Amino acid sequence: QVQLVESGGGLVQPGGSLRLSCAASGDALNSYAVGWFRQAPGKEREGVVCDGSGSSTVYYLNSAMGRFTVSRDGAKNTIYLQMNSLKPEDTAVYYCATRPYYCSGSETQYSSWGQGTQVIVSS
């Protein structure tokens, strides 16, 4: 079972950037797909983007395309979500989650979840 810890959230002005980290322990991430999800206040959790074990990226949120990118550091067993050109509507708690090998847009397919990190985009 993979354990995940997110970090890197915070308060940022509109147009700014943040890089979220998802550090894994208990197993190597290279055989897992890692999905990023977010939950805004009063809304359901939604998929943002997923990085498959073969480094194929799947975007579930259209507004993330062109602004958010994912990358992995195998040595650190960590995956990153780089978020640029942030907007107030990006305010949410962001979660990373894993499932074996392939991405899925359904959060029920992910078995391990981090605790989440808060992102607030506000001037």
Side-chain angles (χ1 to χ4, degrees):
Q1 187 79 359
V2 179
Q3 292 82 47
L4 303 171
V5 177
E6 300 100 334
S7 61
L11 174 64
V12 63
Q13 292 187 343
S17 298
L18 279 176
R19 188 179 77 160
L20 306 184
S21 300
C22 175
S25 60
D27 202 354
L29 275 180
N30 57 8
S31 59
Y32 290 89
V34 181
W36 286 94
F37 296 79
R38 72 184 188 183
Q39 187 167 22
K43 295 185 177 181
E44 293 187 352
R45 189 157 55 188
E46 62 181 351
V48 178
V49 63
C50 177
D51 187 60
S53 61
S55 295
S56 58
T57 302
V58 180
Y59 285 90
Y60 298 112
L61 193 66
N62 287 338
S63 64
M65 296 183 67
R67 298 190 300 129
F68 295 3
T69 57
V70 291
S71 62
R72 295 186 186 229
D73 185 332
K76 295 182 178 180
N77 210 28
T78 297
I79 189 166
Y80 303 98
L81 178 64
Q82 178 68 44
M83 306 188 296
N84 299 326
S85 302
L86 283 162
K87 305 174 183 181
E89 52 263 42
D90 294 317
T91 294
V93 178
Y94 284 73
Y95 301 86
C96 60
T98 60
R99 68 181 307 275
Y101 300 113
Y102 306 114
C103 291
S104 172
S106 172
E107 64 177 76
T108 63
Q109 297 296 312
Y110 293 79
S111 55
S112 295
W113 289 79
Q115 83 288 353
T117 186
Q118 176 76 59
V119 172
I120 300 173
V121 184
S122 175
S123 55

